[in-house]
Amino acid sequence: MAQIKTFGIIGSGSWGTALAKILTDNKNKINWWVRSENTIKHLLERNNNPQYLSSVFFDTTLLKPTTNASEVIKNSDCIIIAVPSAYAADTLGSLDKNIFTEKKIISAIKGILPEENLLLNDYLQLHFAVELKNYFAVLGPCHAEEVASEKLSYLTFSGIDKKATDDMAAFFKTSYLNTIVNHDIYGVQFAAILKNIYALGAGIAHGLDYGDNFLSVLIANSADEMAGFLRKAGIKNIDVGHISDDRKHAPHKPQPVIRNHINYAASVYLGDLLVTCYSLYSRNRTFGNMIGKGYSVKTAQLEMNMVAEGYNASKCMKIINENINAEMPIAETVYNILWQNLPAAEGFKKIEETLV
């Protein structure tokens, strides 16, 4: 991946800002699409983003911010798309259809594009003829706020070519960020979408005053429900704790297991689910908590300064699962609460009956 000299970031929210910090900490140059001229002016004069992660200060000699998305893409070798999934089609739809030719693309979106019910890679293939070999997804339990404060975090990079994915991940490895690589683009993206729905459910439960004992059972069942969907969708390697052993030895003489491969589900599936359900940084948990306390969806949306990806995702996954036909009582109940006006307390009484 030595041909990558400049990164372009589409999006200047908290996650886009965190990724800009990671790359510039490693002395990479970035072109940065920022919506507001005032934000750009502040960024160049004061060295920080006034709207998101304002504690992060940048070496502005490595930044070229602009409100022109086409300019960012044309002048960059690798494009990071870090806008909320609900806005991705509006952001990209007016671009020239050949603009991504010979570009590498990293998706930092943890959602599904609601207009067409598509993952970003499928949307880009359909509208811009982007090949899957040039597409990478970056996911995992990694809140932007903890990146800003340089608390150790883990990111998983997924791509179909091992060497290319390894090379891409190397650009992001820092003293406060470890990188993991896998090759299951569809699995990790669907897991990221589902965990946001379950985090909304955890937030609703908290707002309804359920305790930690119930939440632990709810989240454990959510993990099982997620795995059931992924298996039916044809996704492999989702069993946490599955470790390969390349040494053969007699059963009467135990030897240490050589851990040449630890299943990536531990971080990108279960880890991301746990942190999104429990962390106070989680916008999905916060949104769900408001719903549980009696806020309407509209009021909760107005109260929040950031997008809760799980809201649209719950509807999208409801539609997708009509073809997959997995048993998903938790996700379906969250959908019914958010989209069908099912009272939260009534919905969770139904969930109580399904948990094991």
Side-chain angles (χ1 to χ4, degrees), residues 140-143 191 195-196 198-199 202 215-223 226 240 265-280 282 285:
C142 193
H143 283 306
K195 60 92 179 176
N196 285 330
Y198 297 128
L215 279 172
S216 69
V217 176
L218 175 68
I219 295 167
N221 277 259
S222 295
M226 177 195 291
V240 174
S267 174
V268 74
Y269 286 169
L270 184 57
D272 208 3
L273 173 67
L274 291 173
V275 76
T276 311
C277 287
Y278 279 118
S279 176
L280 296 179
S282 169
R285 182 184 186 276

Side-chain angles (χ1 to χ4, degrees), residues 122-257:
D122 291 327
Y123 173 86
L124 292 173
Q125 195 282 323
L126 179 65
H127 294 284
F128 296 93
V130 171
E131 297 181 72
L132 196 60
K133 68 179 183 179
N134 292 322
Y135 179 90
F136 307 84
V138 55
L139 300 158
C142 193
H143 283 306
E145 294 82 359
E146 293 199 352
V147 171
S149 58
E150 300 190 359
K151 294 183 182 295
L152 183 62
S153 303
Y154 290 73
L155 273 182
T156 295
F157 286 79
S158 189
I160 62 172
D161 181 276
K162 183 181 187 304
K163 176 66 165 58
T165 309
D166 285 341
D167 289 347
M168 188 66 77
F171 283 104
F172 293 81
K173 186 171 178 59
T174 71
S175 61
Y176 57 85
L177 188 75
N178 285 337
T179 57
I180 303 166
V181 169
N182 73 49
H183 315 295
D184 191 358
I185 287 176
Y186 281 91
V188 297
Q189 289 184 110
F190 273 124
I193 293 162
L194 287 167
K195 60 92 179 176
N196 285 330
I197 299 171
Y198 297 128
L200 272 170
I204 293 171
H206 186 267
L208 289 169
D209 207 28
Y210 285 90
D212 289 343
N213 292 336
F214 176 83
L215 279 172
S216 69
V217 176
L218 175 68
I219 295 167
N221 277 259
S222 295
D224 192 58
E225 184 173 295
M226 177 195 291
F229 171 86
L230 293 170
R231 286 193 184 93
K232 291 207 72 172
I235 308 302
K236 301 178 180 179
N237 300 323
I238 55 175
D239 298 318
V240 174
H242 174 77
I243 301 170
S244 65
D245 182 359
D246 291 344
R247 296 182 65 180
K248 295 185 180 298
H249 51 265
H252 65 275
K253 190 176 182 182
Q255 298 181 32
V257 172

